Amino acid sequence: VIDGFSSSEVNFVVIGMAAPAACTRFSDNYDLKEELGKGAFSVVRRCVQKSSGQEFAAKIINTKKLSARDFQKLEREARICRKLQHPNIVRLHDSIQEENFHYLVFDLVTGGELFEDIVAREFYSEADASHCIQQILESVHHCHSNGVVHRDLKPENLLLASKAKGAAVKLADFGLAIEVQGEQQAWFGFAGTPGYLSPEVLKKEPYGKPVDIWACGVILYILLVGYPPFWDEDQHRLYAQIKAGAYDYPSPEWDTVTPEAKNLINQMLTVIPSKRITASEALKHPWICQRERVASVVHRQETVDCLKKFNARRKLKGAILTTMLATRNFSSKYEPQGRSIITKKGDGSQVKESTDSSTTLEDDDIKEDKVKGGVDRSSTVIAKEPEELRIVCPNKTTSQLSTNSYSSARKQEVIKMTEQLIEAINTGDFEAYTKICDPHLTAFEPEALGNLVEGMDFHKFYFDNNVIVKNCKAVNTTILNPNVHLLGEDAACIAYVRLTQYMDKQGVAHSLQCEETRVWHKRDNKWQNVHFHRSTNSPSYTFAPSAHK
């Protein structure tokens, strides 16, 4: 979705835009209810159709904010959504154009993400994984039969129709989908999500329907063991693994998976697209169509446990990770065309997952010969930036200046809140710290040895033991090169270098440096820190300020 609104943020999905319908007032046909989610250009609300009493999700788009290019993409998405009608695909029902707003009416998908539902189940087996991938393959087969390639198959786009047991899996978000003729292979641009990209896309070769099957192979692998087949802290190495098709089946978790399941994965994760299994063929595979006889029905607790960690990582959101993994000094580089080129770096985590599991990338507008400086797009991606990150033309109108001033003020708010948080850390004021941080704060930091920490207990240890106050006579912290990315109206991400000066008990001066990213969310008009990530070359625990909370 062009405004940064992700299907994974709420328990329903928005998937497309239809061509302008007859100019019927939305309020004549629907009653608007509570807000379900919000993006930079839109708001999504539950609505009830007056004639039937049926519930839907209405996405209300502020059309004044959309560029001509945005409209073109939405029109493409609309054409695709209108011709896809399948039980395993979220459906677009209505489209109403009014003067300044466009109303899009979709299925109200209330069951949440498939992967979140799996970890909440009391029992989960290989046979259950087979049933899940069968429904996904059914949706992909319908797309391919209608000349559509999704290009962004991933867990965030696999939802459940309702919370009822056995609810249908629904494929969502056709924002990157393209139309192809038959088995056409062509270069349609660099698009997708890093851990799910196919070798042919990474090699910048012609591609088509087989890219969706590759992504299905990655998803099936995760469904069986709870972690992905390709992962590395460094994106260069991640992409090299994918291009080589370098994955394996480690013991002991894969020892209990049937050979038939591995056989299907192998046929999906075949590097040469022409030799890769098709959706139609995959649905006829014994592990799918003879599930009762072939697939194991033993409960897979280890898979559920690993999947919980995998889900926690995914929840850090693409926009957060895009900033977190930006260039070493957290500064963006821009092309003459004004697109943001962000070189990814590993985040140092030990959890077995690809570098960035949820950021959707698209580069179908910039041609090879326009990229300057020999940039290798197999390791450099062009992200879909939020509105606030776009380069503004020199000839600013009054309204543009006003918008920029508003954005600048909000960015200063985030910097100020970050400074206040660090001050609370330096003074050992846990009460002030808890007021600024969300109670369910998540963090990656050296002290946690690569694990994702959730909640306040881990951080409270350092405050309770007065670590900084005991070891230092004086502490001063400077924030260098702060970069604030505004994510809609009520969220922001700040990346910066944190330079800490301190005097030890012997009166000797020291300095430490680390790189930090903090994600802020505005609730009740108050900013709260909901996640942070810190990397540092300083050893953990050697000095209190290295244990920056």
Side-chain angles (χ1 to χ4, degrees):
V1 180
I2 61 165
D3 57 6
F5 183 81
S6 166
S7 63
S8 61
E9 294 175 277
V10 287
N11 291 337
F12 62 91
V13 80
V14 179
I15 57 169
M17 176 175 182
C23 192
T24 308
R25 283 193 59 81
F26 177 85
S27 57
D28 292 341
N29 298 305
Y30 299 91
D31 286 323
L32 277 177
K33 301 298 182 181
E34 73 277 8
E35 183 178 307
L36 299 172
K38 186 187 294 184
F41 301 148
S42 67
V43 62
V44 180
R45 295 174 66 176
R46 184 172 67 88
C47 68
V48 178
Q49 190 175 39
K50 292 182 178 180
S51 61
S52 67
Q54 194 171 354
E55 291 185 318
F56 296 98
K59 182 178 183 183
I60 307 164
I61 300 170
N62 186 339
T63 52
K64 291 186 294 185
K65 293 185 178 181
L66 298 185
S67 67
R69 179 172 165 273
D70 292 334
F71 270 116
Q72 286 179 351
K73 289 192 173 186
L74 288 167
E75 285 169 2
R76 177 185 74 183
E77 194 174 351
R79 287 194 308 272
I80 288 168
C81 290
R82 280 198 299 273
K83 65 181 179 181
L84 296 178
Q85 297 190 24
H86 189 273
N88 297 118
I89 296 176
V90 179
R91 185 178 172 186
L92 171 65
H93 290 270
D94 203 354
S95 173
I96 299 174
Q97 176 71 61
E98 295 187 3
E99 187 176 355
N100 294 320
F101 295 96
H102 199 113
Y103 297 84
L104 304 174
V105 182
F106 304 92
D107 282 340
L108 183 65
V109 182
T110 58
E113 289 186 13
L114 168 64
F115 277 35
E116 291 292 346
D117 179 76
I118 288 172
V119 299
R121 297 179 189 179
E122 294 181 359
F123 182 84
Y124 178 71
S125 71
E126 190 178 299
D128 294 315
S130 171
H131 183 54
C132 290
I133 201 68
Q134 179 182 28
Q135 294 178 79
I136 297 164
L137 285 168
E138 292 281 7
S139 67
V140 171
H141 177 54
H142 183 74
C143 289
H144 291 182
S145 297
N146 284 276
V148 172
V149 181
H150 188 281
R151 293 203 302 175
D152 199 24
L153 283 163
K154 59 181 178 180
E156 287 80 1
N157 292 334
L158 302 172
L159 308 179
L160 292 173
S162 71
K163 295 188 181 298
K165 188 175 180 179
V169 176
K170 298 266 189 179
L171 176 59
D173 195 350
F174 285 77
L176 291 188
I178 53 172
E179 295 162 296
V180 296
Q181 299 295 322
E183 302 309 309
Q184 176 191 8
Q185 306 275 313
W187 177 249
F188 296 101
F190 191 96
T193 298
Y196 306 87
L197 289 171
S198 67
E200 58 266 33
V201 170
L202 292 176
K203 294 173 184 176
K204 291 166 283 186
E205 295 174 347
Y207 65 85
K209 296 171 184 176
V211 301
D212 286 343
I213 301 301
W214 178 275
C216 284
V218 174
I219 290 165
L220 177 53
Y221 190 106
I222 300 167
L223 283 169
L224 287 168
V225 290
Y227 59 81
F230 308 102
W231 66 280
D232 201 286
E233 297 163 4
D234 178 80
Q235 197 176 60
H236 289 267
R237 293 195 294 265
L238 168 66
Y239 284 176
Q241 283 181 21
I242 294 172
K243 286 188 278 190
Y247 67 95
D248 57 9
Y249 299 117
S251 293
E253 59 268 31
W254 280 100
D255 296 344
T256 55
V257 176
T258 60
E260 290 83 358
K262 295 175 187 174
N263 176 266
L264 179 56
I265 291 172
N266 290 342
Q267 292 190 65
M268 288 177 163
L269 296 182
T270 297
V271 172
I272 301 172
S274 61
K275 295 184 178 180
R276 200 172 299 155
I277 196 170
T278 65
S280 176
E281 292 166 346
L283 286 166
K284 296 172 185 172
H285 191 280
W287 192 75
I288 298 291
C289 66
Q290 299 174 37
R291 177 184 313 120
E292 295 79 6
R293 182 178 65 83
V294 177
S296 168
V297 292
V298 176
H299 177 56
R300 300 188 62 81
Q301 187 59 47
E302 289 290 326
T303 296
V304 173
D305 293 340
C306 283
L307 200 54
K308 285 179 182 177
K309 295 176 184 177
F310 180 79
N311 287 342
R313 290 287 310 281
R314 289 191 302 111
K315 294 305 171 185
L316 300 182
K317 296 289 187 290
I320 297 168
L321 288 168
T322 297
T323 310
M324 181 190 304
L325 305 174
T327 50
R328 183 165 300 174
N329 63 354
F330 299 105
S331 63
S332 296
K333 297 179 176 64
Y334 291 92
E335 278 203 321
Q337 289 86 358
R339 296 281 288 179
S340 172
I341 301 180
I342 303 176
T343 304
K344 305 281 184 161
K345 280 175 57 65
D347 66 357
S349 166
Q350 300 301 308
V351 179
K352 196 167 189 180
E353 188 194 2
S354 58
T355 315
D356 178 356
S357 67
S358 58
T359 303
T360 297
L361 313 169
E362 185 174 16
D363 175 22
D364 54 1
D365 303 301
I366 298 178
K367 306 302 179 188
E368 286 292 326
D369 57 359
K370 291 186 180 179
V371 179
K372 307 299 181 183
V375 177
D376 176 10
R377 285 218 304 265
S378 66
S379 59
T380 303
V381 295
I382 301 182
K384 291 163 61 177
E385 64 275 22
E387 182 73 12
E388 292 84 358
L389 300 183
R390 292 179 182 167
I391 299 296
V392 180
C393 296
N395 299 322
K396 298 181 178 68
T397 64
T398 304
S399 62
Q400 284 175 317
L401 289 169
S402 174
T403 301
N404 289 346
S405 298
Y406 175 61
S407 296
S408 178
R410 290 172 63 214
K411 289 180 180 180
Q412 287 303 314
E413 279 183 28
V414 173
I415 293 172
K416 184 178 178 182
M417 289 304 302
T418 304
E419 290 172 342
Q420 289 179 14
L421 184 144
I422 292 173
E423 179 63 21
I425 294 166
N426 288 347
T427 58
D429 189 344
F430 187 66
E431 184 179 351
Y433 183 75
T434 54
K435 288 179 180 177
I436 298 172
C437 294
D438 183 272
H440 303 290
L441 174 74
T442 55
F444 282 117
E445 53 183 328
E447 291 74 31
L449 305 180
N451 296 297
L452 178 69
V453 175
E454 183 174 0
M456 303 299 291
D457 290 346
F458 186 84
H459 314 294
K460 189 172 184 289
F461 168 83
Y462 297 98
F463 287 92
D464 287 348
N465 291 281
N466 296 314
V467 177
I468 293 178
V469 177
K470 282 181 181 177
N471 292 316
C472 310
K473 293 174 69 175
V475 180
N476 179 61
T477 299
T478 305
I479 293 178
L480 303 174
N481 305 328
N483 265 292
V484 179
H485 292 213
L486 300 175
L487 313 173
E489 291 294 319
D490 55 5
C493 187
I494 181 171
Y496 54 91
V497 174
R498 180 171 166 185
L499 180 64
T500 301
Q501 303 162 277
Y502 69 98
M503 300 289 291
D504 63 23
K505 290 293 186 181
Q506 288 71 44
V508 179
H510 301 267
S511 294
L512 289 173
Q513 179 175 302
C514 63
E515 297 168 335
E516 287 189 346
T517 301
R518 291 187 182 270
V519 182
W520 294 88
H521 184 213
K522 204 168 194 177
R523 295 192 184 97
D524 301 323
N525 211 33
K526 188 176 89 171
W527 287 103
Q528 281 197 307
N529 188 203
V530 295
H531 173 79
F532 75 86
H533 174 277
R534 184 175 67 260
S535 60
T536 177
N537 294 324
S538 305
S540 303
Y541 299 114
T542 55
F543 162 67
S546 74
H548 299 313
K549 300 293 107 194

